[in-house]
């Protein structure tokens, strides 16, 4: 039973509210909409902004890549044009013919001396035994060890000793016997009296100036049999045979053979790729060869070394990487084709910080001795591999952008493309470190996040204000409802600013006025009910009745009951109007009431025929008998009233002292 009672009590207990307030809901809604829209706009702006910035970085690299490719191609075009002009230059053609004749005379003289079984009587155009031994000693004691040291590999110097008497003769007089402190190219005439030296004295200055002005490392003239008859640098390849022997495997021999055998004739210019060239102590050399045009066709060829410095100047922007749009870490470089995929231009890392370059290169797999060689020579040509995804894609003929590791293992974004120029199959890459390239993206992201946070903060404040303003009329309605619930009447609220709130406020005010009117009517009705109730019973009994008592019984020991009967009032008032008759009757009853109040007698009820009162019934009184006696004054007062109004009915007094043991009413 107790459980049922407790359950019923719990069911009647009001539930605790767990829902959010309207202000909270409105605030959350405003914040959700504003913050959500801000996040969506911010996300779209972030995606579009980062993509735009990323694309801008790619576009900048593409522009650098394409401009570098155009510049290198333009350089090669200028070299080709220069070589074509030189191949038709009569001075160059005459020089080649003169040097070729000089070489032939030296060979013929050596053959003649050999046939005679001794040296020439005047000692010209041939080498003595000591001089010939000096040539052999030079290769064995100087060139061979130098080549071995430069390449790091064993070198067989005997393979490079020229077999041609003319080549040995020229090497001795222009390389071995000359001033060791002077550059061989600065010697105009060895003073040996040979026809070759006479031609050298006539043409060397012109050819040397041509090579210097065009920035060629060396300029070579080759006769139609494939023998090198002149070089500006006077290296060990002077007099070399490009058809047979050691030099027939060089890129110079290959380019010469292609130039002389092509179907394009005298307008042919052949470019060779870089390769190690033993006469240059294993340094990378690329050759450009063009046939020399004689009266009846090609009489020989002119060859120049492709200028590495000019290629590096183009690819590095003459060392101004920052000014050329590559920032603090970007660079553009060329890479050769398979099998080694080594660089064909200078690495920025090596140029700016050789020690850091060597450390990074070794860490990325480059042998220490190769890294040391690159640092010592100051170039990465044919030394630094660049076997990266971008390079491989470019060599496959693809042009695109990519994000990957570069040849030193750094994360970069790269723009790559194949470089096809003058028969060369290279790749060109422009790249920059990802961190630097995407730094604007990171900065943009930070600024976007900061601005979004500021906007969210401002929106939150505005949302709080708007929510407060929106809820304020509702709060006024709530407070007014509480005042009405507390019993206050006539409560009114100000109308809201919006139409809906104004309608709600107007409806509330109408409700308040209606409640006030109903309360007034109820109060008046209650007063009328009380008045009517008091006409039926004493006030004390009426109070008990209003409090809910339905069976009212009391015992009284001494009670005096008075009943005054108005005799003849109907006849008296028959000629009067109802209003006047009632007014006279009320005056009579008021006189009784005043007398009763004065004597302490309590009115019980009144009718049109009489007046019933008691004394000692509701309020016990010990002198109720005396008060009964004094009640005669009521009759006198009524009699006087009757005379005053010429009342003909008689008021009969019937007073009885009821000393009952129990008087019930």
């Amino acid at each position: 039973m107790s459980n049922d009672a407790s359950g019923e009590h719990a069911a009647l207990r009001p539930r605790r509210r767990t829902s959010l307030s309207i202000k909270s809901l409105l605030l959350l809604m405003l914040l959700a909409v504003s913050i959500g829209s801000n996040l969506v706009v911010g996300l779209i702006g972030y995606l579009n902004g980062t993509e735009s910035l990323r694309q801008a970085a790619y576009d900048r690299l593409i522009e650098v890549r394409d401009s570098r490719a155009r510049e290198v191609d333009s350089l090669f075009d200028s070299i080709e044009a220069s070589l074509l002009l030189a191949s038709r230059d009569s001075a160059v053609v005459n020089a080649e013919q003169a040097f070729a004749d000089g070489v032939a005379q030296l060979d013929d003289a050596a053959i003649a001396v050999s046939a005679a079984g001794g040296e020439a009587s005047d000692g010209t155009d041939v080498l003595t035994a000591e001089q010939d031994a000096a040539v052999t000693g030079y290769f064995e004691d100087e060139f061979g060890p130098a080549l071995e040291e430069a390449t790091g590999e064993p070198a067989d110097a005997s393979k490079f000793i020229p077999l041609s008497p003319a080549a040995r003769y020229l090497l001795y007089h222009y390389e071995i016997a000359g001033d060791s402190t002077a550059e061989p190219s600065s010697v105009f005439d060895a003073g040996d009296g040979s026809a070759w030296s006479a031609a050298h004295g006539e043409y060397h200055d012109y050819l040397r100036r041509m090579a210097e002005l065009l920035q060629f490392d060396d300029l070579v003239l080759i006769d139609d049999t494939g023998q090198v008859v002149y070089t500006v640098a006077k290296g060990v390849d002077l007099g070399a045979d490009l058809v047979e022997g050691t030099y027939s495997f060089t890129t110079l021999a290959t380019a010469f053979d292609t130039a002389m055998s092509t179907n394009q004739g005298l307008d042919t210019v052949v470019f060779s790729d870089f390769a190690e060239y033993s006469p240059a102590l294993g340094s990378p050399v690329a050759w450009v060869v063009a046939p020399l045009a004689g009266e009846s066709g090609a009489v020989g060829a002119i060859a120049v070394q492709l200028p590495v410095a000019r290629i590096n100047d183009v690819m590095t922007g003459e060392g101004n990487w920052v000014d050329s749009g590559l920032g603090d870490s970007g660079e553009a470089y060329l890479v050769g084709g398979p099998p080694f995929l080594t660089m064909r231009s200078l690495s920025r890392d090596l140029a700016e910080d050789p020690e850091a370059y060597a450390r990074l290169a070794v860490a990325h797999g480059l042998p220490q001795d190769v890294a040391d060689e690159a640092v010592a020579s100051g170039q990465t040509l044919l030394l630094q591999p660049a076997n990266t995804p971008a390079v491989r894609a470019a060599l496959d003929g693809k042009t695109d952008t990519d994000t990957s590791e570069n040849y030193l293992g750094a994360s970069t974004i790269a723009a790559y493309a194949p470089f096809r120029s003058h028969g060369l199959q290279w790749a060109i890459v422009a790249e920059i470190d990802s961190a630097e390239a995407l730094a604007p993206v990171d900065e943009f992201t930070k600024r976007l996040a900061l601005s979004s946070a500021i906007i969210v903060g401002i929106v939150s404040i505005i949302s709080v204000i708007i929510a407060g303003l929106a809820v304020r009329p509702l709060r006024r309605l709530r407070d007014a409802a509480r005042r009405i619930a507390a019993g206050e009447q006539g409560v009114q609220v100000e109308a809201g600013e919006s139409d809906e709130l104004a309608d709600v406020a107007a409806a509330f005010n109408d409700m308040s006025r209606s409640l006030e009117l109903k309360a007034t009517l109820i109060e008046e009705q209650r007063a009328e009910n009380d008045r009517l109730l008091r006409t039926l019973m004493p006030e004390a009994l009426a109070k008990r009745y209003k409090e809910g008592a339905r069976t009212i019984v009391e015992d009284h020991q001494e009670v005096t009951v008075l009943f005054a009967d108005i005799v003849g009032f109907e006849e008296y008032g028959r000629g009067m109007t109802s209003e006047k008759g009632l007014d006279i009757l009320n005056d009579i009853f008021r006189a009784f009431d005043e007398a009763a109040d004065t004597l302490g007698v309590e009115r019980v009820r009144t009718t049109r025929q009489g007046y019933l009162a008691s004394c000692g019934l509701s309020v016990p009184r010990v002198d109720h008998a005396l008060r009964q006696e004094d009640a005669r004054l009521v009759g006198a007062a009524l009699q006087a009233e009757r005379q005053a109004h010429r009342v003909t009915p008689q008021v009969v007094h019937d007073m009885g002292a009821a000393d009952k043991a129990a008087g019930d009413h």
Side-chain angles (χ1 to χ4, degrees):
M1 182 176 180
S2 60
N3 291 337
D4 294 339
S6 62
E8 183 180 357
H9 181 70
L12 295 176
R13 185 184 304 125
R15 294 182 179 180
R16 184 174 183 178
R17 293 183 300 174
T18 58
S19 60
L20 296 175
S21 63
I22 295 179
K23 179 179 180 180
S24 299
L25 291 174
L26 183 60
L27 180 60
L28 290 176
M29 181 186 69
L30 292 174
L31 289 177
V33 171
S34 58
I35 294 175
S37 60
N38 182 61
L39 290 177
V40 171
V41 172
L43 180 60
I44 295 174
Y46 169 77
L47 295 177
N48 292 337
T50 53
E51 183 61 26
S52 298
L53 292 173
R54 191 186 303 273
Q55 189 60 45
Y58 282 131
D59 291 342
R60 185 169 66 251
L61 289 176
I62 292 173
E63 181 182 357
V64 172
R65 178 200 67 193
D66 294 344
S67 65
R68 294 291 192 273
R70 288 192 299 268
E71 291 180 41
V72 174
D73 190 59
S74 176
L75 171 63
F76 290 173
D77 287 342
S78 67
I79 294 174
E80 181 182 36
S82 299
L83 219 56
L84 285 174
L85 288 174
S87 68
R88 300 299 180 94
D89 188 348
S90 59
V92 177
V93 174
N94 293 336
E96 187 274 331
Q97 292 292 302
F99 287 124
D101 292 342
V103 169
Q105 289 183 17
L106 291 173
D107 284 336
D108 291 343
I111 293 173
V113 170
S114 176
E119 297 180 358
S121 60
D122 56 1
T124 60
D125 296 339
V126 294
L127 295 178
T128 64
E130 290 183 2
Q131 292 172 342
D132 192 69
V135 173
T136 302
Y138 170 77
F139 278 93
E140 293 177 348
D141 300 334
E142 295 185 31
F143 178 76
L147 178 61
E148 186 173 332
E149 181 181 359
T151 60
E153 298 178 357
D156 185 4
S158 62
K159 296 190 303 182
F160 298 95
I161 299 176
L163 300 178
S164 167
R168 296 169 69 90
Y169 178 91
L170 294 175
L171 284 175
Y172 175 79
H173 285 286
Y174 284 90
E175 178 72 22
I176 299 171
D179 186 0
S180 60
T181 62
E183 287 290 335
S185 62
S186 64
V187 178
F188 287 89
D189 191 344
D192 59 318
S194 65
W196 193 94
S197 292
H200 189 270
E202 181 179 358
Y203 296 108
H204 176 65
D205 182 61
Y206 177 76
L207 296 174
R208 187 188 67 166
R209 285 181 177 274
M210 180 187 295
E212 290 177 351
L213 291 175
L214 297 176
Q215 299 181 4
F216 298 135
D217 294 334
D218 197 5
L219 185 149
V220 175
L221 296 178
I222 309 168
D223 67 11
D224 56 353
T225 65
Q227 186 174 15
V228 177
V229 296
Y230 168 81
T231 69
V232 171
K234 305 300 184 299
V236 297
D237 55 351
L238 179 59
D241 186 355
L242 302 181
V243 178
E244 296 180 356
T246 302
Y247 293 97
S248 63
F249 300 100
T250 63
T251 55
L252 176 59
T254 303
F256 169 77
D257 181 67
T258 303
M260 297 300 288
S261 62
T262 182
N263 294 327
Q264 295 181 0
L266 299 178
D267 292 331
T268 301
V269 177
V270 178
F271 284 71
S272 75
D273 201 348
F274 285 96
E276 293 183 356
Y277 191 59
S278 297
L281 299 179
S283 298
V285 175
W287 293 97
V288 184
V289 181
L292 290 173
E295 293 181 358
S296 60
V299 297
I302 180 173
V304 295
Q305 290 186 7
L306 201 61
V308 176
R310 294 179 66 182
I311 295 175
N312 287 336
D313 286 343
V314 171
M315 297 305 296
T316 64
E318 297 184 352
N320 296 321
W321 288 278
V322 176
D323 295 338
S324 60
L326 289 171
D328 296 329
S329 62
E331 63 175 329
Y333 54 88
L334 295 165
V335 181
F340 302 111
L341 277 68
T342 51
M343 296 182 69
R344 297 298 191 265
S345 59
L346 181 63
S347 167
R348 179 178 182 176
D349 294 87
L350 175 62
E352 291 186 334
D353 192 346
E355 293 183 359
Y357 160 78
R359 184 173 61 256
L360 292 173
V362 171
H364 201 59
L366 187 67
Q368 183 66 54
D369 58 337
V370 178
D372 294 339
E373 182 181 353
V375 172
S377 63
Q379 65 178 8
T380 51
L381 181 62
L382 294 186
L383 296 176
Q384 174 61 57
N387 189 2
T388 64
V391 170
R392 292 193 297 270
L395 292 174
D396 288 339
K398 299 177 182 178
T399 299
D400 204 350
T401 56
D402 190 17
T403 300
S404 61
E405 288 188 354
N406 69 350
Y407 58 90
L408 294 180
S411 177
T412 62
I413 63 173
Y416 56 85
F419 181 77
R420 306 285 189 261
S421 177
H422 300 82
L424 299 175
Q425 303 293 318
W426 292 351
I428 184 169
V429 179
E431 65 183 18
I432 189 172
D433 283 356
S434 299
E436 180 181 1
L438 301 180
V441 176
D442 296 336
E443 183 65 23
F444 170 76
T445 303
K446 293 179 181 178
R447 292 183 179 181
L448 181 62
L450 179 61
S451 61
S452 299
I454 293 175
I455 292 175
V456 168
I458 295 175
V459 167
S460 300
I461 295 174
I462 295 176
S463 298
V464 171
I465 296 174
I466 293 176
L469 293 176
V471 174
R472 185 178 299 172
L474 298 178
R475 287 180 173 175
R476 288 198 296 264
L477 290 172
R478 179 200 63 189
D479 296 340
R482 288 177 178 176
R483 290 166 59 189
I484 291 176
E488 187 175 348
Q489 296 181 5
V491 178
Q492 297 288 298
V493 296
E494 296 180 2
E497 297 179 359
S498 64
D499 294 340
E500 292 79 3
L501 292 176
D503 293 342
V504 172
F508 181 88
N509 292 335
D510 292 343
M511 180 192 70
S512 177
R513 285 190 293 269
S514 177
L515 291 176
E516 181 182 12
L517 178 59
K518 290 179 180 179
T520 301
L521 294 176
I522 291 173
E523 187 64 31
E524 292 177 356
Q525 186 64 39
R526 182 183 297 110
E528 180 64 20
N529 292 339
D530 291 343
R531 187 183 65 79
L532 293 176
L533 193 60
R534 285 195 299 270
T535 62
L536 299 175
M537 61 185 69
E539 185 174 355
L541 297 180
K543 181 178 180 181
R544 291 178 61 186
Y545 181 79
K546 287 189 297 182
E547 290 176 352
R550 292 295 178 263
T551 302
I552 303 174
V553 178
E554 290 186 359
D555 295 333
H556 298 278
Q557 300 298 325
E558 294 181 353
V559 177
T560 300
V561 178
L562 173 88
F563 178 79
D565 187 15
I566 302 175
V567 180
F569 187 78
E570 288 79 358
E571 295 179 0
Y572 173 75
R574 186 170 296 141
M576 300 180 184
T577 62
S578 299
E579 181 179 357
K580 183 176 180 181
L582 181 61
D583 184 56
I584 293 174
L585 184 60
N586 287 336
D587 287 340
I588 295 173
F589 287 157
R590 276 194 292 272
F592 274 99
D593 288 338
E594 292 174 1
D597 289 339
T598 302
L599 297 174
V601 176
E602 300 171 356
R603 183 180 66 172
V604 176
R605 63 183 177 129
T606 59
T607 65
R608 188 174 178 83
Q609 299 297 327
Y611 185 91
L612 178 63
S614 66
C615 185
L617 181 63
S618 299
V619 180
R621 300 182 184 277
V622 295
D623 58 345
H624 59 88
L626 294 176
R627 291 176 184 273
Q628 175 188 6
E629 184 68 22
D630 294 337
R632 296 176 180 178
L633 294 175
V634 177
L638 290 176
Q639 186 67 27
E641 183 71 19
R642 185 192 58 185
Q643 292 177 355
H645 292 281
R646 297 177 181 178
V647 180
T648 57
Q650 295 290 326
V651 179
V652 179
H653 299 276
D654 184 8
M655 296 178 295
D659 294 332
K660 300 179 181 179
D664 299 333
H665 70 282

